Every structure is written in structure tokens, then in C-alpha cells.
Amino acid sequence: MKRLSGILILFFLSINCFAQFAGYVNPFIGTTNFGTTNPGAIVPRGMVSVTPFNVSGSDLNTYDKDTRWWSTPYSWDNSFLTGFSHVNLSGVGCPDLGVILLMPTTGEVNADHKTYGSILKNQEARPGYYATNLEKYGIKAELSATKRTGISRYTFPKGKSNILLNLGLGLTNESGAKVRIVNNQEIEGSRMTGSFCYNDGSERPVYFVARFSKKADEFGVWKKMPEMKAESAWSDTDGQFKYYKNYTQELFGDEIGAYFTFNTNTGEQIIAEVGVSYVSIANARMNLNAESNQFDFEKTRLQATQEWNSTLSRVKVEGGTEDQKTIFYSALYHTQIHPNIINDVNGQYPAMESFEIRETNDCNRYTVFSLWDTYRNYHPLMALLYPQEQQDMLRSMVGMYKESGWLPKWELNSKETHVMEGDPAIPVIVDSYLRGLKDFDVEAAYAAMVKSATTPGKNNKLRPDIDHYLAKGYVPLVDEFDNSVSHALEYYIADWNLAQFAKALDKKDDYKKFLNQSLRYKEYFDPKFGMFRPRLENGDFLTNFDPKQGENFEPSPGFHEGTAWQYAFCVPHDVNGLIKLMGGKKKFVNKLQTVFDEGLFDMANEPDIHYPFLFNYTKGEEWRTQKEVRRLIDTYYKNAPDGIPGNDDCGTLSAWVIYSMMGIYPVCPGDTDYAITSPVFDKITIELDPEFYKGKSFEILTHRKNKGDLFIDKMMINGKKQNSYFITHKTIGEGGKLEFFLKK
């Protein structure tokens, strides 16, 4: 009886713990409206995520990966499932990974996913857990994960049941795989991935070992045979799937797979565990051996829940509605998916831009750095809430420089994809350093930054168009849609950060040099339009300039993924200088307000997401920040599948709403102050990491006389009146209390 009571107490404690933090997460948020998140089972920063794959094979689906540009293995709008993939990306804008698919079926084995796929029903998702019913087969599928392994539990009906491993299907644009059945309970192999954003050079194999809790009664492999011409009359498998029963040798090909068949009783459960590695099959097996719970699904699921509760507990919010709490914690959840670890349990990982194997012993090696997006707010948030993880990310980035000769730009699985603009690793590293994260090779990082900021274009992998920038201060428009202004605006931000780094390291000459470079954004300013306008090599402004061109991602001369309006205030490192350039505070405020009033603001893309906080730079106009931030939260963030305004960009849009709901925002990386706005919640408690910060916690309290109070009447920090609408990172790190008193 005592034992039973103890179990019940443990059960209720675990339920209570779950409800406190992980219970507020809705993994379906962002799974439509092009948010490109997925509800798959994953633990914080896990290499593996076990994700329903429902974007191929049937016209029952709204979106098919092969009929348009598509970058997620799952869509809430789709219903036709073709398996559960084990390595996936979340919140990205280009297709890759989405491979190593397991699919439970019944009856005769069929390798064609268009035939074996099933409608999914009764979907359920929580952090570290996903479940659904497969209507076609009467099978319940449940998924969970550890850092480097995935676990699936399939509840079968009575009869002939199968588990298929499809290595032909995937989200990646690469093909090619290898498979070998080890015995009637184990299989191993590899799958090629890469060509992210259709760029060559990012290809890399991922290795796996899969085991089953029951010995198969039958097993084999399959291969899609090529279509024949003259010989077709003599072949029974021309253009068809060919099955190789009891085949235990290696099989290679583009559309290959394996099947394991079991005789099951009604309600019988078979569990599959899959270990993954980017180093070797041997390491995948080692990862599986190290992290497996010996087919104990419930133990794995509970561990995943506990990991998520621990991770999400860094911030505790009180007050607000249930939906607001769900939006907040789901956003925090999404920030913990990428970057993810790539090192195996023995510390091994593939070196940057090579197939050499390196080893890390003192930190995790991270991958998936969508830096053009994440440098703006994501990494400052990680430095505040998860400084140890952020410091390991800095070490990873500097390690990439040592291995390849360059800092990363958009890195994926130790390969550079060369996606997006600028030199975004610089602001990430500098901002973290200035926030106190300094345990990395600082001199190597500085050398890497100077290299990309000074190397001539023909030899510069990060700034290939740097020559004119160094000589004249701007990047000229050479081709009609060459994104030249966007390039330069990113270089200015990077160079400003490099100047701050030089200043902190007492490199005075470099400080002046890079600061001067960063302020040459004024070369683009056209007084006629009062905004940035592309310039030609001869110095003339581009004719036939339309500041609204580029809406809805249409091409725009000089600007990438946006209009001139959405880049008009994209110099966060010199807002006061921009105010003067625009004719003073009144004209600045009017132009900025026009962006919101006339629908020129894009909440779904990064260059303008700091705009609402710029009103704080003009005394007396701070109320506009409070108004616009709350309007944007209420308009674009919801507890629903379309609850992210667009591509989450590896947690960037999620980081925006986390900060905004807390009432602080880092306008510019490298400037460690936060702009202030009115919080959503009554009380927010940030638990500070004692290894990095003096304070134990920092509280944000909000007092309202009425339910709808929004605007700040007064503020107090640790009992003293606060007049500034900015608060320093140092103040938060020392712990204490920020109080808001709101009014209508």
C-alpha cells in the first residue's frame, strides 16, 4: 500500500510539474501560415526530432512538397501521412533533412508511399511527445525522443503488421542512401542530405541504427527499379519496387528501404528506437546504446517532459490569460529547438566544411545557425536566459572559423549554405561578449571578424562585394535585383559591432576605423524620399525608384525580402544619427508612425521587427511603442496553428514575442540596453544563471487599476523612480525588481 501511495504521489507530482510549464506549450502553433514549425517529439536542443511527415503523396493534402517551394515536413492543413522522419528542421525557409522515415502498416508490404500512406486522426502533441491514429490501419502511433535518439510506439491490430523504413522519401533535395539489415531486430544505414536553399556544397550524410522491441517474423529490403526501354518486355519489375526478402547485404540506391513484418495480437505494442549520428554508423549505434531506455517508452517520455519543464522554468509568468501563457511558453519552447547539438556522446562531430572528424570535450558543438535572422534578438535572449548554451554556441562558431577559415553565415550540419545577407556572426559574438559571456577564444574571434571586414572581395567568402564598400562606403547596384542596399546595411551593423569589440579590447585605431565604416549608411540616404535608395557605381541614385516595390516577397532592386520602407529604419546602431538625417524627431516619428498606419510594416520578416521600439528614442513618444507592440502581439500571435505571423526563422519571431510580452527588447545587438514597453503579464520572474550573473532572479511587476490599462504611468527599479525607457543588461543581471504602473 505504501508503495502504491508513493507511485501515486510521484504521478501527481509529475502531472503538476508538467502542467506548470510544459503544459502551457502548444506544439501545433506555427504549423500553418508558413510558420514552418512542426509538432514532432524533441527534447531541448536535440539532434533528433521524430516528426509526422505529411507533405507528400496525395492530392488530399493542401500542400505538397513537390508542387511548390516547401520547407517543412509537416503542415497542419494536410491529413495524408507517409511516415515519421527522425532528423528535421524547424522554422526555416528552405527544404532539407526530413529523412529516415518509419511507417507502421498492416497487410502485405507495399513500398510506394502514395499507396501505403494513411489519413491521420486525433493528433496530440506536447513537448517531447506526439501521438496520432492511422485511419487506414487502425494503428496508434506515439513518438518521443532523447538528445540523439527517437522512440516510437505502435499499437497494432491483430494480424500481419509491418514497420517500413523509407530512405527514398524526404524533404531534402539530395538523394542516395545505404541500408543493411543486421538481424531480425536491427537495421543500419545512412541517408544523404543537403543542397539547402538549392545551393551546392552543403551535402552531408546522416547515419542511423534502428532496433525493434520484437523479433520480426519476416524482413527484407526494397529498391525502385529504373524504367527500361527495349528490355522492358523481359522484366517484371520495370519501373516498379523490387523486394529482396531476407537480404542482409548492403543495398545502395536513391529509392530504397526496408521492411520488418510481425504477427501481432490485438492491441500489441511494438517499439522502435533509432539512434542518429553525423559521424558514422558506429557512432549512431553508440548514441543509441548510451541513451536508450531499453524500449521503455513511458520512461523516455517522462524524461523528455522533465527536461522541458527544467528548460522552460527559466522564466515564470503570472497573470494574463491562459492563451497568453500558451503563446509565451510555446514561443520559449520554439527557441530551444535550434541551434541543436551535432556532437555524439563521445564528443565527436564533423568539422566545418570538411569530412574530418573532430572531438569536443568541454562543451556541446552546435549546428543550425540561421544568423541573419537570429542575431537580431534570439542570441541576446539566449545570453540572458540560457548563457551557458549561448557561450557554447560562441565556442562552436569560433571553432567553425578555426576549421574552415571563416565564421559561419547560415551553417547547417557543419556546412556553409551561403544563404541570406551580411556578416551576421559578428554581432552575435560581440553582443554576447559585451553581456559578459567571455569564455571563448576572443583573439581568434577578433581575427576572424577583421578578416571578413577587410579581405578583398575576390577572396572574401562572407563579403564578396566588399571592394566598393571599402572604397566608397556603399555597395552599388550592379544587377537589377542584386540586394545591394541590404548587403551594405548588414555590413554597417556588423562593422559597428566590430568597432565595439575593438573598443572593449583596447584596439583604438581599429575602433575608429570600423566605427567610421559603420556610419557610411548615410551614402544611401536620399533627401527626396527621406529614405535609403539604391545607388549605382557612378554614385547616381537608381531611377524609377518605388519604395513599396518588394511587397509580398516580389523582387526589389537593392533590397532582399522587403521594401525600402521595411529597411528605412534598419540602422539600429545609430538611431539618433538617423533621426537627424530624417530632419529631426517630429519628422522621424511621423514617418515611423506612417509605417504602421499604412500597412508598410512586415511582422513576418526580420529587417523591420525592431521598428515598434524606435519610438522610445524620442522623448514623449514612448507611448507609441506601448501601443504598437501590444497591437502586434494581439494581431499576429495566437494559440492556434497559424499563431506565428510567418516563418519562425529558427526562433526569431518567437524571441520577439517573448521579449515583447516581458516588456523589454534589445533594439540593436552590441548595445546591451533594452527598450522598455508595457508587459503583458502581472508578474514575470527571470531565473538568472549564477555562473554568469550576480543576481538570483529579476522580477518584472505590473500594476493595473483597470483590466485594460496599457500605457506606462510610472516605473520603479528596486524602489527608485525610473525615468528612462531603457534598462541596462547589467541592471537585470544584478537581480532586483522592475515595477510598472499602468493607466488607460
Side-chain angles (χ1 to χ4, degrees), residues 379-450:
H379 287 286
L381 182 67
M382 295 304 101
L384 174 63
L385 302 183
Y386 305 94
Q388 184 58 66
E389 289 87 343
Q390 175 64 12
Q391 187 160 263
D392 283 356
M393 293 176 200
L394 304 180
R395 292 173 175 175
S396 298
M397 293 163 69
V398 176
M400 292 172 191
Y401 160 69
K402 292 180 178 180
E403 294 158 10
S404 70
W406 298 92
L407 287 170
K409 186 176 186 179
W410 210 124
E411 177 273 349
L412 173 61
N413 294 336
S414 292
K415 288 285 190 173
E416 180 54 65
T417 68
H418 303 286
V419 175
M420 301 311 294
E421 319 295 350
D423 200 347
I426 292 179
V428 171
I429 296 171
V430 173
D431 181 80
S432 293
Y433 179 87
L434 296 177
R435 294 182 193 276
L437 281 60
K438 300 182 178 181
D439 190 7
F440 60 95
D441 193 336
V442 173
E443 288 301 326
Y446 186 78
M449 296 177 192
V450 172

Side-chain angles (χ1 to χ4, degrees), residues 567-641:
Y567 281 90
F569 300 85
C570 196
V571 284
H573 59 290
D574 190 31
V575 178
N576 290 324
L578 184 62
I579 290 173
K580 293 179 182 178
L581 203 61
M582 288 187 170
K585 292 183 178 180
K586 184 176 181 180
K587 290 184 177 180
F588 175 85
V589 168
N590 289 340
K591 185 177 287 289
L592 185 58
Q593 190 63 57
T594 297
V595 172
F596 298 101
D597 293 346
E598 296 187 8
L600 303 172
F601 177 78
D602 185 2
M603 186 68 251
N605 213 14
E606 280 68 21
D608 63 359
I609 59 175
H610 65 288
Y611 281 18
F613 301 92
L614 295 181
F615 292 112
N616 277 17
Y617 288 83
T618 54
K619 186 175 178 59
E621 303 292 346
E622 299 92 348
W623 64 273
R624 297 178 187 269
T625 286
Q626 298 150 40
K627 174 188 174 184
E628 295 300 341
V629 169
R630 186 61 58 86
R631 181 182 65 81
L632 293 171
I633 293 172
D634 293 344
T635 301
Y636 292 105
Y637 290 88
K638 295 174 284 185
N639 180 16

Side-chain angles (χ1 to χ4, degrees), residues 453 463 469 491-499 514-515 517-518:
R463 305 190 191 191
Y469 173 85
Y491 297 160
Y492 299 134
I493 294 171
D495 283 345
W496 184 83
N497 272 269
L498 181 48
F514 294 118
L515 181 63
Q517 284 185 195
S518 76

Side-chain angles (χ1 to χ4, degrees), residues 349-364:
Y349 65 89
M352 182 69 172
E353 294 288 78
S354 77
F355 293 97
E356 179 184 350
I357 304 304
R358 297 287 183 94
E359 187 171 321
T360 177
N361 295 311
D362 59 345
C363 66
N364 278 317

